[in-house]
Amino acid sequence: MFKNTLKAIVCAMSFTVVGLAQAAEPVVIKFAHVVADNTPKGQGALLFKKLAEERLPGRVKVDVYPNSSLFGDGKEMDALMLGDVHMLAPSLSKFEHYAKPLQIFDLPFLFDDMAAVDRFQQSEAGQELLKAMLHKNILGLAYWHNGMRQLSANKPLREPRDARGLKFRVQASAVLDEQFKALRAIPRKMSFAEVYQGLQTGVVNGTENTWSNYESQKVNEVQKYITESNHGLIDYMVITNAQFWNDLPEDIRSELKEVLAEVSVEVNRHADELNAQSRARILEAGTTEILTLTPEERAEWREAMQPVWQKFSKEIGADLIEKAKASNL
Ligand code: LMR
């Protein structure tokens, strides 16, 4: 009699434990970024949410906050370190205060095309850079592409002297600051969310960004000319709070790693296409004249911006720069 009662109690307790486990709240991952959904990074964040919740039903919930709706430039990194947000994918231009070598991605005309960017990011040196901020409890999980930066203003920018005296919005990056000073222009650091209004009110006269960022933020409506310079890069590092990530249950962490690897392939495969579509929509809108450069004209911009390399070679590391240059075939 006693044995049956004991068995019944143990059985009931095991159901309770299982029941509690299954009823346990899902891990909530807050993923914040500063761009619109219809951009490479915006699509990547939504695909990550979709696949993570499909593969880990009831165990993981991903809340995506686009367009600086949770944290914007200047606040997102502190929020990540404090654990108020769990994943970000900031532009590689926004890490200079956390790891100087990451400034390499801002060197003008460093990469010939996105294929070269990809080769460098996937190389041993590029993968090593994912760990460059670990001393700040920031772990790089992946690189996501956007594309090459174009130049814009309300006057045609055909040769470097055309930029003289103009105020250009730049990301919070010393390299980009120096890039415009080399043109004898006036750089103005400004968060991404303020670019449209800054240009509309004349606080700044011009800026640089990718086609998808221009179009998704309607920046083309306040810029009469975009010069197709492809002079620099806007790419992203998907980052997380290392403590948060390492504290995840091992099976959840390994599944999320697989999801992220799949999402990264998709983001990087479609980034060029999304930027091409944005360029076409800008042309169609008729708001902005797109100026293309002859090889000789482009060489003049490259030469004018070249002094930036010398200024940052020591901070970034000459050998790292050589490795990045070698990614150009
Ligand atoms: C910018 O600030 O212009 C970009 O970093 C925005 C983005 O994340 O693409």
Side-chain angles (χ1 to χ4, degrees):
M1 174 66 176
F2 173 71
K3 264 176 82 179
N4 288 344
T5 312
L6 185 61
K7 243 166 95 179
I9 291 169
V10 169
C11 186
M13 279 175 66
S14 63
F15 274 120
T16 312
V17 170
V18 170
L20 280 176
Q22 279 166 348
E25 289 302 303
V27 173
V28 176
I29 298 176
K30 291 182 181 176
F31 190 151
H33 64 78
V34 300
V35 296
D37 286 338
N38 57 333
T39 60
K41 173 161 61 177
Q43 293 294 299
L46 292 173
L47 182 58
F48 177 76
K49 169 183 173 64
K50 178 176 180 294
L51 295 185
E53 292 178 353
E54 279 175 4
R55 305 277 170 81
L56 293 158
R59 301 194 63 201
V60 165
K61 181 172 178 300
V62 180
D63 293 336
V64 176
Y65 298 89
N67 275 314
S68 305
S69 53
L70 185 64
F71 296 107
D73 286 332
K75 293 191 168 60
E76 60 181 5
M77 293 297 284
D78 287 343
L80 186 82
M81 289 189 282
L82 290 169
D84 295 335
V85 69
H86 306 104
M87 289 178 73
L88 303 172
S91 154
L92 292 163
S93 306
K94 299 178 178 175
F95 295 129
E96 65 182 18
H97 299 302
Y98 305 91
K100 294 296 181 197
L102 287 172
Q103 297 178 114
I104 188 163
F105 290 104
D106 276 350
L107 290 179
F109 293 100
L110 173 59
F111 298 105
D112 290 346
D113 50 33
M114 292 308 291
V117 176
D118 207 57
R119 281 191 292 270
F120 176 64
Q121 289 174 346
Q122 299 314 318
S123 72
E124 191 183 336
Q127 292 297 299
E128 200 53 34
L129 288 173
L130 291 172
K131 297 179 235 167
M133 298 181 279
L134 268 177
H135 61 289
K136 296 273 188 184
N137 191 32
I138 298 169
L139 173 62
L141 297 172
Y143 290 106
W144 282 358
H145 292 331
N146 187 332
M148 291 296 182
R149 278 184 264 118
Q150 317 304 333
L151 277 171
S152 68
N154 285 318
K155 64 174 273 195
L157 300 175
R158 198 165 279 289
E159 51 187 6
R161 78 181 63 200
D162 296 333
R164 281 183 194 174
L166 295 183
K167 292 172 286 187
F168 283 86
R169 178 268 173 177
V170 294
Q171 302 171 87
S173 153
V175 176
L176 299 180
D177 209 64
E178 287 301 327
Q179 171 189 277
F180 282 100
K181 286 178 179 166
L183 301 174
R184 294 163 64 178
I186 304 158
R188 284 276 184 277
K189 290 177 184 170
M190 187 184 275
S191 71
F192 186 57
E194 297 169 322
V195 173
Y196 181 92
Q197 192 179 13
L199 290 164
Q200 191 185 39
T201 57
V203 169
V204 286
N205 311 116
T207 189
E208 55 174 1
N209 224 305
T210 62
W211 294 113
S212 57
N213 277 346
Y214 272 115
E215 194 248 345
S216 59
Q217 300 295 327
K218 303 186 187 310
V219 172
N220 55 296
E221 290 178 0
V222 288
Q223 292 282 256
K224 291 195 178 74
Y225 301 93
I226 297 179
T227 299
E228 191 155 37
S229 52
N230 292 311
H231 65 281
L233 173 71
I234 287 194
D235 256 18
Y236 309 111
M237 188 185 289
V238 183
I239 57 177
T240 185
N241 177 306
Q243 174 95 46
F244 161 79
W245 188 257
N246 295 331
D247 287 348
L248 287 171
E250 202 285 323
D251 59 336
I252 288 184
R253 186 171 56 250
S254 61
E255 187 62 55
L256 290 177
K257 271 185 193 165
E258 277 184 38
V259 164
L260 199 52
E262 279 181 54
V263 172
S264 301
V265 167
E266 286 307 303
V267 169
N268 294 344
R269 182 182 293 152
H270 293 305
D272 279 350
E273 181 191 334
L274 286 176
N275 277 296
Q277 288 167 0
S278 288
R279 184 185 188 280
R281 282 195 290 268
I282 288 173
L283 263 184
E284 206 179 307
T287 55
T288 310
E289 184 179 344
I290 295 179
L291 306 176
T292 51
L293 299 174
T294 63
E296 294 73 24
E297 287 171 328
R298 190 163 183 267
E300 279 184 54
W301 288 96
R302 180 195 287 264
E303 192 184 332
M305 293 181 176
Q306 197 62 35
V308 171
W309 285 46
Q310 194 53 42
K311 276 183 187 279
F312 292 91
S313 169
K314 195 152 177 285
E315 267 186 19
I316 292 170
D319 59 326
L320 189 62
I321 294 173
E322 286 311 307
K323 285 175 183 169
K325 281 165 68 178
S327 67
N328 295 314
L329 292 182

